[in-house]
Amino acid sequence: MITMTNLKQARLRATLMAAILAGSLPGPLPATVATDPARPVIPAPQDVPFPGVIRLHVDATDIARRVFRVRETIAVTGAGPMTLLYPQWLPGNHAPTGPIDKLAGLVIRANGGERLEWRRDPVDMHAFHVDVPAGATALELQFEYITPTDPSQWRVVMTPDLLGLQWEKALLYPAGHYVRQIPVDASIQLPASWQFAAALRGAQREGDTVRFERTDLETLVDSPLFAGAHYRRVDLDTDPESPVRLNIFADAAAELAATEEQIELHRRMVREMTTLYGSRHFRQYDFLLAISDHFSGIGLEHHESSENGVGLGYFTDWGSNTNVRGLLPHELNHSWNGKFRRPADLWTPTYNVPMQSSLLWVYEGMTEYYGVVVAARSGLWSPELTRDILARYAAMYDAGRAGREWRNLQDTTQSPAINYRGRTSYTSWQRSKDYYTEGLFVWLDVDTKIRELTRGRRSLDDFARAFFGVHDGRIEPLTYTFDDVVAGLNAVAPHDWATLLRARLDGHGPGAPLDGLQRGGWRLAYKDHPSPSAKESEGAEGTRDFLYSLGLSIKSDGRIGEVFWDSVGFKAGLAPAMTILAVDGKAYTHARLVDALKAAQQDAARPIELLVRNFDSFRTVRLDYHGGLRYPYLERAGKGEDLLAAILEPRVPPAAPRKK
Ligand SMILES: [Zn+2]
């Protein structure tokens, strides 16, 4: 929200708007709202160099209190009003998630110590106004970025063994410039003898202080840093022009013990991905991987790196951590899809201009698709495990997305701004970030359709290479629109793609959007026991899924987790957070509920009787359900070709070097 009282700025803004409308500059710029003439002006961002440098130093040594201490020097060119912004709209979040509540202790000085009183903007909580006194050449800022001490406050990012620093949470920047036009000299003080990794260039370490070579604010913010006491670096691709590294940090040194076989699977994953696109848009790619039970989980893409946070056992309990192996291929895929090629309406010149996310079904949906496909091609996932994972996703749309009736896939792309990390009571009805997995099925649909139209001569891989693989070596983002996607598909296989895509994006069913699965030679079916993948996904607190039978997930103490809208349990009046105390007159255990489901399956006259507690009220609920236990899996559909197997087939022979 910008007020614009200055005529010069208004003229400039008109020029910029004309340029945007003419298509020569990516938009949008923030709207002007002149409701309060007394409100200070926040200059609109301009694509002109910031006259000076920001010097940013983050002291990351207070890991016990979990506080980052920031010292920042921002050059100024003269006296008068100035606005400093705390990043609000964050790339990858696509939402106004900049944690302004975690900035504290802000003191601004100039002219060798004179304290300047700052004023927060009355409307924009992320903007601070200050009057620069005559003679000042720079503002000196100090403040803290107070990180969560409990996961309920947000992600825990400082532990006794490792930390993650996202620079945008530890800086203010001057309004009025595109962030790519603001040079920054960044440095960090690490806890004693900790190692670090980041995609930033030219690191010079002196003791525990690390200085990075000058970069622009956009690159800095896109290059977070992990550091820790237990660290191991593994080279996944030693190509000197664009190496790929796996930087592993963990709670304990024992967690770093990846075997050569495990590492080789990750190397194959990188080879499969770079072969798919036939290009690279990074100078060097750093996977930042935290293996921890304390550092909060994360999967966040950047152009030349990614933040990945997984639980203990990623390497050391390999067989019990299979689903999570899809994380790294997903994040690597974003270097092409999301970072290099970026939806035009998502690109913004600064972190304080609202984003629009209408194309997240490409950005995330196709990334989810190739995350799965490349996990399978590389061998991180077996074909059977991959089918089990697809079965779980398919079943969710078959039985757990009643909300498709009122809310289409297109509307879910606005979920980040609506409810970025918030939990929902009834996700099956409210919906959430469904553009990931429903988007995956859109792309499976498109892939199998291309193969059908071209009798197997072409595939979505051809689109991926042509659309994301252009301009090998270019780092600067290249934006695209819906029409560009349609044109790209038509160049691979002529078809009415616009109609097909709009039907998927704007439609409401009925039924799950599983045409691609069927065309791939498989269909969703149910059996009476969960797949290993489904078992693994049941998660903490001893949760068992009865989602595809009763529409419920239940913790070991009988507490109900999820209730599918319009399911058997829902219709009987069950809701999340109620507790099932007894099944057929006996204290609740999962085994007793399983027995009751089996007994009711044998006897159509026998209901399942539950004693349920809701706050201090008790009630008996009878479920007239006789379908038995049901868990999703995929079975072959007809006798046609197994296209899905062809899609998941490795492209790169095991140990072959990358072809340029
Ligand atoms: Zn993603």
Side-chain angles (χ1 to χ4, degrees), residues 30-95:
T32 60
V33 182
T35 50
D36 177 5
R39 190 183 158 203
V41 171
I42 302 175
Q46 303 166 28
D47 195 10
V48 295
F50 175 69
V53 177
I54 292 181
R55 283 207 315 275
L56 177 70
H57 180 72
V58 178
D59 180 342
T61 57
D62 197 355
I63 49 173
R65 295 190 190 84
R66 304 193 215 172
V67 173
F68 288 107
R69 292 193 163 72
V70 182
R71 295 264 178 179
E72 191 176 359
T73 306
I74 301 176
V76 294
T77 49
M82 183 168 183
T83 305
L84 300 173
L85 300 173
Y86 188 71
Q88 179 179 20
W89 286 81
L90 303 188
N93 292 10
H94 327 302

Side-chain angles (χ1 to χ4, degrees), residues 299 301 330-331 334 363-364 367-368 436:
E301 65 276 16
H330 178 106
E331 301 307 336
H334 275 313
Y363 180 125
E364 288 296 359
T367 293
E368 190 71 15
Y436 280 83

Side-chain angles (χ1 to χ4, degrees), residues 401-636:
R401 276 300 179 273
R404 291 179 77 237
E405 282 173 29
W406 74 272
R407 191 175 185 199
N408 62 30
L409 172 58
Q410 182 64 67
D411 190 64
T412 70
T413 63
Q414 290 174 296
S415 293
I418 293 170
N419 184 15
Y420 182 69
R421 281 174 64 93
R423 303 196 172 179
T424 45
S425 302
Y426 296 97
T427 310
S428 57
W429 184 244
Q430 293 166 270
R431 309 199 70 178
S432 179
K433 298 176 186 172
D434 290 359
Y435 49 83
Y436 280 83
T437 48
E438 193 171 337
L440 176 154
F441 287 115
V442 168
W443 291 106
L444 178 61
D445 201 358
V446 171
D447 196 353
T448 53
K449 191 78 190 166
I450 294 173
R451 289 167 193 260
E452 185 183 82
L453 289 167
T454 63
R455 296 173 202 278
R457 285 193 305 276
R458 311 206 79 184
S459 73
L460 190 64
D461 288 11
D462 294 294
F463 170 78
R465 177 177 278 254
F467 197 77
F468 297 101
V470 289
H471 304 304
D472 188 17
R474 172 175 161 156
I475 311 280
E476 190 197 342
L478 184 63
T479 60
Y480 67 86
T481 63
F482 177 85
D483 289 346
D484 294 333
V485 174
V486 169
L489 288 169
N490 272 314
V492 172
H495 185 65
D496 187 0
W497 293 111
T499 300
L500 184 149
L501 291 172
R502 291 269 40 115
R504 296 290 178 271
L505 293 165
D506 304 332
H508 293 276
L514 303 179
D515 291 2
L517 199 58
Q518 185 82 18
R519 213 180 288 114
W522 295 82
R523 69 170 157 249
L524 176 65
Y526 294 91
K527 56 187 174 186
D528 66 1
H529 59 278
S531 66
S533 166
K535 195 99 203 92
E536 198 183 294
S537 76
E538 285 182 330
E541 300 183 72
T543 299
R544 274 288 287 274
D545 274 353
F546 297 93
L547 288 167
Y548 302 100
S549 46
L550 303 177
L552 310 173
S553 71
I554 307 172
K555 297 180 172 72
S556 56
D557 62 0
R559 211 145 37 93
I560 298 174
E562 187 163 10
V563 177
F564 277 174
W565 198 266
D566 281 348
S567 65
V568 171
F570 181 88
K571 286 173 180 162
L574 297 177
M578 290 181 181
T579 300
I580 304 174
L581 298 173
V583 186
D584 290 343
K586 298 273 188 192
Y588 181 86
T589 65
H590 290 329
R592 284 189 174 132
L593 182 56
V594 168
D595 287 346
L597 275 154
K598 287 178 177 167
Q601 192 176 18
Q602 299 303 320
D603 180 355
R606 179 181 174 148
I608 300 164
E609 195 173 279
L610 306 176
L611 177 62
V612 178
R613 178 174 187 160
N614 184 28
F615 296 102
D616 294 335
S617 303
F618 295 78
R619 190 161 65 92
T620 298
V621 172
R622 288 185 185 80
L623 304 176
D624 188 20
Y625 172 77
H626 307 281
L629 291 160
R630 293 174 91 235
Y631 296 95
Y633 75 107
L634 297 188
E635 64 180 18
R636 286 285 278 130

